[in-house]
Amino acid sequence: LIASHLDGSSLGALSCCCHGVSQHLASRETLRWLGELRGLDPSAMVHMSSVEHMELAEAMATMSSSISFGWGSMHVDRSAHSSLQKVARLLDRHKTLVLSIEAHCGLEARFHMPMAGQAREFTRSRAEAVQEALIEQASSAGVPLDKSRVITRAWGCSRPMVWCFGQPGMDEPLDPEGAARNRRVELYLRTGSFEIPRR
């Protein structure tokens, strides 16, 4: 009953000082039940095996793990700053966490960057822009950031969320809103085999 009313970080603190609570929260079934009660992503709950995992799933549910970009842009919008500060705080609180910053671009890159590797290099710059913004936001929040726990990956246009183009004059289908979803950087937090959000 107590566990159903406490957030993940409070549960973690309570389980550290109360043996009975710690024993009960060692059960995956209990953690799944608590996750369902809180409306957490069912795919994340399958791999949930500790209070730390629940705290991470809870934290990620309250923030955006995807950062959008305008066409051809590498500018990180101010709207992403609060999520980046939360990620920096999570990295500081959970010392085993690793952050993967994974960048993508739209299918239009096939036309605008036809040479091999151009789209991938472009998205590498996007990932690095987010990494720099993360460092700035960690600094402004007064949170130390260990850069060795942050990795960047560049996918170019090889993993679109929507199979469409966002500009006229290209192959169909034309869907500017759908194409905008492809221009993104995704944030994944990992500790051991647990990753949030699930792919």
Side-chain angles (χ1 to χ4, degrees):
L1 182 62
I2 293 168
S4 67
H5 293 285
L6 295 178
D7 63 12
S9 56
S10 301
L11 271 177
L14 183 61
S15 68
C16 286
C17 62
C18 180
H19 182 68
V21 171
S22 180
Q23 279 186 315
H24 281 88
L25 292 177
S27 159
R28 282 182 185 236
E29 288 73 29
T30 302
L31 291 169
R32 274 197 216 106
W33 174 75
L34 285 169
E36 285 173 12
L37 197 64
R38 290 154 200 235
L40 298 178
D41 179 4
S43 65
M45 291 188 298
V46 171
H47 302 276
M48 204 179 283
S49 61
S50 72
V51 177
E52 182 186 33
H53 294 168
M54 173 169 284
E55 184 181 348
L56 292 171
E58 235 174 40
M60 290 300 277
T62 64
M63 59 179 264
S64 173
S65 60
S66 182
I67 298 170
S68 298
F69 286 80
W71 190 89
S73 172
M74 284 184 242
H75 172 72
V76 179
D77 194 83
R78 289 177 58 86
S79 61
H81 290 182
S82 103
S83 288
L84 291 174
Q85 281 193 11
K86 286 180 184 177
V87 167
R89 288 191 180 100
L90 286 172
L91 287 169
D92 184 48
R93 192 179 313 132
H94 302 270
K95 303 300 183 189
T96 59
L97 273 184
V98 173
L99 171 67
S100 182
I101 299 173
E102 306 193 9
H104 307 264
C105 62
L107 292 173
E108 298 86 10
R110 295 173 185 265
F111 298 92
H112 292 282
M113 301 179 224
M115 292 176 62
Q118 273 184 301
R120 195 171 296 265
E121 283 309 307
F122 176 75
T123 53
R124 186 176 315 285
S125 298
R126 264 188 186 159
E128 288 168 357
V130 170
Q131 185 178 29
E132 285 303 312
L134 173 68
I135 292 166
E136 287 172 17
Q137 291 309 307
S139 176
S140 71
V143 178
L145 183 66
D146 179 357
K147 294 178 193 173
S148 69
R149 292 167 55 207
V150 179
I151 60 171
T152 58
R153 299 182 79 176
W155 293 106
C157 55
S158 64
R159 295 188 173 193
M161 291 182 77
V162 182
W163 191 262
C164 64
F165 298 101
Q167 291 184 305
M170 297 190 178
D171 292 349
E172 294 295 333
L174 174 67
D175 177 5
E177 286 182 17
R181 293 177 60 201
N182 293 334
R183 299 189 298 267
R184 71 205 187 275
V185 168
E186 296 170 333
L187 307 175
Y188 294 96
L189 290 167
R190 189 173 64 253
T191 174
S193 61
F194 179 79
E195 185 178 64
I196 189 90
R198 297 300 298 176
R199 295 174 193 264

